[in-house]
Amino acid sequence: MKIRTLRLLAKEGTKNVYKNKLMSFASLATILATLFVLGLVLLIIVNVTTNLEAKKQDLQVKFYLRVDATRLEEEEVALFIEQSRASGVVAEYQYESREQAYENAKKDLKYEALMEGLTPENFAVGYFVTLTNPNDSDQFIARLKLFSGVDSQWITYPKQELERISGMVRVFNYVALFVIAVLMVISILLISNTIRLTVFARRKEIEIMKYVGANDWFIRFPFIIEGMLIGLLGALLSHLLTSQAYGWIKDGLNTLFNSIKISGLQLVEFGELSIRILVVNVLFGVTIGIIGSFMSVKKHLNV
């Protein structure tokens, strides 16, 4: 097909959007509603996954040195922790001296009589380590146990909680993929049916073009351009609507979390995801516009 012909057909498809205002509006409303729901689903997926991953990052390896550890043994462990942070294995850590451990014990114990006779020298040095990758915990703990100054009985890490959170992330991802797939199928069917009404209203026009010798792609191309434009416009409007709706939802949930004193939950800012959501909307809108137009015209080409 010549470039001049393509330009002519593209121009015709663009005009058809305006000429068939009622059907174009119906198709646009269908795409807008579908992409709006899709955008909110994607934002829910991102927020849940982000908060679950944040919970994994909050898990710490807690360990203590032996009470009778020598200065050299303490320095060996301190050097290992610093090297691990420099290499990226450790994200951050907190050091608890004997004096701090002693003061913390005094605060935590309800009965002061239990602290009688105890001094900071009776307490051990402790570390609270946050790993960059929580899945490296087994390897990190195994290396800790090689140090003579570390009391291996006092190395703790919530491994079961890590596995539970990882399992939740996997299950949620599977559910999210299923929901998105269902939304895609439903949206294509809805948009195809809506565009089919547009094509049905112009079936005589298609039949006349076939009778005068126009090939299938010559007839189909303006409808595809029409579907692309409606899909693109629906994607842009959906993006604006999603950003506004998400802002209201985010403010409302933050107010709710503060009122019932839930801490640790963080909703992702829309600006961080704006470009990605826009790209998904545009790709999805244009694709289903093309597929819907293609499927709808095909039936009327068999004259």
Side-chain angles (χ1 to χ4, degrees):
M1 194 178 290
K2 295 180 181 180
I3 295 178
R4 185 176 60 183
T5 305
L6 288 175
R7 288 178 180 172
L8 175 65
L9 295 177
K11 186 176 180 180
E12 183 66 22
T14 305
K15 285 182 179 179
N16 287 340
V17 175
Y18 179 76
K19 284 168 59 178
N20 302 279
K21 293 186 286 291
L22 182 60
M23 290 302 178
S24 295
F25 178 78
S27 299
L28 178 63
T30 304
I31 291 178
L32 177 61
T34 302
L35 295 182
F36 175 69
V37 173
L38 176 64
L40 291 181
V41 168
L42 289 175
L43 288 168
I44 291 171
I45 292 170
V46 170
N47 274 290
V48 172
T49 304
T50 300
N51 278 283
L52 286 175
E53 290 294 335
K55 289 294 182 184
K56 286 172 63 175
Q57 296 299 327
D58 289 341
L59 303 179
Q60 291 183 319
V61 177
K62 300 180 181 180
F63 70 94
Y64 292 88
L65 276 61
R66 297 193 337 269
V67 175
D68 59 349
T70 65
R71 177 66 63 180
L72 178 60
E73 289 173 329
E74 291 184 12
E75 291 176 354
E76 285 178 342
V77 174
L79 180 61
F80 167 70
I81 297 297
E82 283 295 338
Q83 289 175 340
S84 298
R85 184 169 67 171
S87 64
V89 175
V90 171
E92 60 182 5
Y93 71 91
Q94 293 176 320
Y95 170 79
E96 184 180 71
S97 66
R98 297 173 188 270
E99 290 74 16
Q100 289 172 325
Y102 175 73
E103 293 298 326
N104 290 335
K106 285 172 62 177
K107 293 177 183 178
D108 295 337
L109 290 175
K110 296 181 180 180
Y111 302 102
E112 295 183 2
L114 296 175
M115 294 295 295
E116 289 183 6
L118 295 179
T119 66
E121 294 303 318
N122 298 116
F123 290 82
V125 169
Y127 285 88
F128 309 106
V129 180
T130 302
L131 300 177
T132 303
N133 183 359
N135 295 321
D136 293 336
S137 59
D138 288 339
Q139 183 180 358
F140 182 78
I141 290 172
R143 295 187 65 186
L144 276 178
K145 290 180 178 179
L146 298 177
F147 291 93
S148 58
V150 175
D151 190 341
S152 59
Q153 294 181 346
W154 287 97
I155 301 176
T156 60
Y157 186 72
K159 186 70 175 178
Q160 290 183 343
E161 188 173 352
L162 173 63
E163 293 173 351
R164 183 171 60 85
I165 294 175
S166 298
M168 290 171 63
V169 171
R170 284 194 298 272
V171 170
F172 189 81
N173 285 336
Y174 291 143
V175 171
L177 288 174
F178 175 76
V179 170
I180 291 175
V182 170
L183 276 175
M184 288 180 66
V185 172
I186 292 174
S187 59
I188 289 174
L189 291 176
L190 286 173
I191 292 165
S192 177
N193 288 333
T194 306
I195 295 176
R196 188 174 285 118
L197 294 175
T198 305
V199 176
F200 182 78
R202 294 153 64 185
R203 67 190 184 283
K204 296 296 183 183
E205 177 186 339
I206 295 174
E207 291 174 0
I208 292 171
M209 292 176 71
K210 284 287 291 184
Y211 285 134
V212 299
N215 63 39
D216 290 351
W217 276 106
F218 187 90
I219 299 171
R220 184 180 282 140
F221 196 76
F223 288 98
I224 291 176
I225 294 297
E226 191 175 340
M228 286 178 60
L229 291 175
I230 293 173
L232 178 61
L233 183 58
L236 296 176
L237 292 175
S238 172
H239 185 64
L240 292 175
L241 183 60
T242 302
S243 65
Q244 292 298 319
Y246 182 71
W248 297 330
I249 293 171
K250 180 174 174 291
D251 292 341
L253 288 177
N254 284 335
T255 302
L256 176 63
F257 293 155
N258 290 332
S259 64
I260 60 180
K261 297 180 180 179
I262 294 179
S263 60
L265 290 178
Q266 294 184 345
L267 297 181
V268 179
E269 294 291 336
F270 186 79
E272 300 176 20
L273 305 169
S274 178
I275 299 299
R276 280 179 281 180
I277 295 293
L278 177 60
V279 170
V280 170
N281 279 344
V282 169
L283 290 176
F284 198 92
V286 171
T287 300
I288 58 182
I290 292 173
I291 293 174
S293 299
F294 189 89
M295 292 172 60
S296 301
V297 176
K298 186 176 180 181
K299 177 182 177 182
H300 298 280
L301 292 177
N302 300 319
V303 178

